[in-house]
Amino acid sequence: MARPLRADIDLDALRHNYRLARDLAPDSRSVAVLKADAYGHGLVACARALEGLAPAFAVACLEEAETLREAGIGAPIVLLEGIFESQELARVEALGLWMAVHSDWQLDALLAWRPTRPIPVWLKVDSGMHRLGFPPERAEAAWRRLRAAPDYACDLHLMSHFATADAVDSGYFHRQSALLAELAGRLGAPTCLANSPATLAWPEAHGAWNRPGVMLYGSDPLEHANAASRRLAPVMTLRSEIIAVRELEEGEPVGYGGRWTAPRPSRVGIVACGYGDGYDRHAADGTPVLVDGRRTAIAGKVSMDMLIVDLTALPEAGIGSEVVLWGRGSGGETLSVDEVARHCDTISYTLLTGVLPRVPRRYHGAEPE
């Protein structure tokens, strides 16, 4: 019998979440962000599921784009970080990619390149995130250089990234938004500004393009859910089974370091999943799991290949019982990856992208349109 741990990927849920992003911004086009192996869900499988539904895809680097092209994905692909060295421009052109330009050296390299066909460019502005992008006071000059170049003027957009679109305190978001609106208006520039939280919560940020990312995979990026984010459906279910059961006396310790001790005569189950599979070792005692559809909690430190759950209140659970670490149980019960992440003092992005290759992905859902 194979080890029972697996990640079930619901491609119908992925498509549902993309349609939600699209429907929230009917006057925009929505590029589906597939970077980091589609946030751990499988780059090629997710692209194929969205092909014909999403008009374009976005990745972080050339290698991810090459994987999609080799798999037969023909839709436009945006390189969100652009090129990392000028020699990559030959592959950008050959693969028909779009690219972000966020720095002077990228701009200079691009303008020195003479492509045989135009390369669509998204000029990135640092409106307050302070990672990548031209400062606003220099963005106009960069824009005009591109507008003056026939090879790049035909499909030019202004791009930026919001630092706090997920936050309840919207002051900084509005500062960024106002700066970008003024710059885009002055340049007559179409924009791509809205990430997942802005897509869900800030219609004024919707531009010619939006770029939903983590919301496509069913994670709610907002500090407080709204009506739209409550409609997201989980795409990944990390699922395993109880492989052993132990009876403990009051006061007996469990796991490395004995962090958890039985507060009363207790019954615990050993689950085939650990940090060697990508489950977060920082999961605290009390981190929720579903066992046969009922909530219980982790007891003790996560090991490399196993973790332990408290079965004391679940006398019917035993060897072979289904364990859902996050996602949807076989009876329809759901445990949000966002809730699990809070107990690990992290965010859903790290949990989803951290599921390691030894965990098999099993795909379910409709064929692409």
Side-chain angles (χ1 to χ4, degrees):
M1 177 181 174
R3 189 165 182 254
L5 179 65
R6 67 185 188 272
D8 287 321
I9 310 298
D10 184 347
L11 297 175
D12 284 336
L14 176 71
R15 291 156 66 86
H16 162 84
N17 295 333
Y18 178 83
R19 290 189 183 98
L20 175 62
R22 181 193 62 187
D23 294 346
L24 288 169
D27 296 324
S28 305
R29 289 179 289 176
S30 293
V31 57
V33 180
L34 299 177
K35 63 182 180 176
D37 196 32
Y39 291 61
H41 293 69
L43 176 64
V44 171
C46 290
R48 286 176 174 159
L50 292 172
E51 198 170 23
L53 190 61
F57 300 117
V59 296
C61 59
L62 183 61
E63 291 81 2
E64 292 175 331
E66 288 176 328
T67 297
L68 290 177
R69 288 289 187 251
E70 288 166 3
I73 302 299
I77 301 172
V78 186
L79 298 177
L80 291 174
E81 296 178 26
I83 57 172
F84 295 92
E85 54 185 12
S86 58
Q87 293 90 331
E88 291 183 336
L89 284 168
R91 292 296 288 156
V92 170
E93 181 182 351
L95 296 173
L97 307 179
W98 303 1
M99 61 176 284
V101 172
H102 62 73
S103 60
D104 287 317
W105 80 262
Q106 286 182 332
L107 180 59
D108 291 341
L110 189 65
L111 292 176
W113 183 259
R114 293 292 177 262
T116 59
R117 54 178 169 171
I119 297 176
V121 172
W122 290 9
L123 184 72
K124 188 156 192 177
V125 180
D126 178 7
S127 59
M129 187 74 164
H130 301 320
R131 295 190 311 188
L132 302 178
F134 289 88
E137 63 273 13
R138 290 175 42 219
E140 183 169 351
W143 178 270
R144 299 199 184 283
R145 287 182 68 190
L146 286 163
R147 290 291 295 169
D151 293 325
Y152 307 108
C154 64
D155 199 354
L156 183 59
H157 287 70
L158 203 65
M159 178 186 182
S160 193
H161 197 75
F162 292 115
T164 62
D166 59 329
V168 174
D169 183 349
S170 61
Y172 198 71
F173 166 81
H174 286 301
R175 284 173 54 189
Q176 285 189 267
S177 185
L179 184 156
L180 291 164
E182 190 277 331
L183 180 61
R186 191 167 71 248
L187 299 177
T191 61
C192 177
L193 307 177
N195 52 8
S196 286
T199 297
L200 287 162
W202 299 108
E204 62 267 41
H206 298 169
W209 287 92
N210 296 335
R211 50 180 196 282
V214 77
M215 68 172 290
L216 300 182
Y217 307 97
S219 172
D220 184 350
L222 302 178
E223 279 189 358
H224 290 294
N226 66 9
S229 69
R230 291 188 189 98
R231 295 166 57 192
L232 294 169
V235 177
M236 179 190 290
T237 295
L238 188 62
R239 190 189 314 273
S240 190
E241 293 179 4
I242 301 290
I243 61 170
V245 174
R246 293 287 180 269
E247 303 281 349
L248 304 175
E249 298 296 330
E250 181 180 350
E252 287 196 76
V254 163
Y256 285 115
R259 185 181 71 186
W260 187 88
T261 57
R264 71 279 197 224
S266 299
R267 186 168 175 266
V268 298
I270 316 305
V271 182
C273 180
Y275 63 76
D277 303 297
Y279 194 87
D280 199 322
R281 186 176 178 273
H282 299 98
D285 294 337
T287 300
V289 298
L290 299 177
V291 176
D292 289 336
R294 296 179 60 189
R295 289 176 69 102
T296 186
I298 285 177
K301 292 181 180 179
V302 175
S303 303
M304 180 177 287
D305 308 303
M306 292 169 280
L307 55 82
I308 301 171
V309 296
D310 188 356
L311 299 180
T312 309
L314 305 176
E316 71 286 357
I319 293 174
S321 287
E322 177 190 70
V323 178
V324 170
L325 288 310
W326 63 72
R328 193 181 302 278
S330 57
E333 311 85 358
T334 299
L335 174 60
S336 164
V337 67
D338 302 297
E339 181 181 359
V340 175
R342 288 191 290 272
H343 284 266
C344 299
D345 193 25
T346 188
I347 55 177
S348 65
Y349 304 68
T350 65
L351 298 185
L352 295 172
T353 61
V355 177
L356 294 172
R358 81 167 178 174
V359 180
R361 273 69 167 172
R362 297 186 181 178
Y363 294 92
H364 314 273
E367 292 296 317
E369 294 176 350

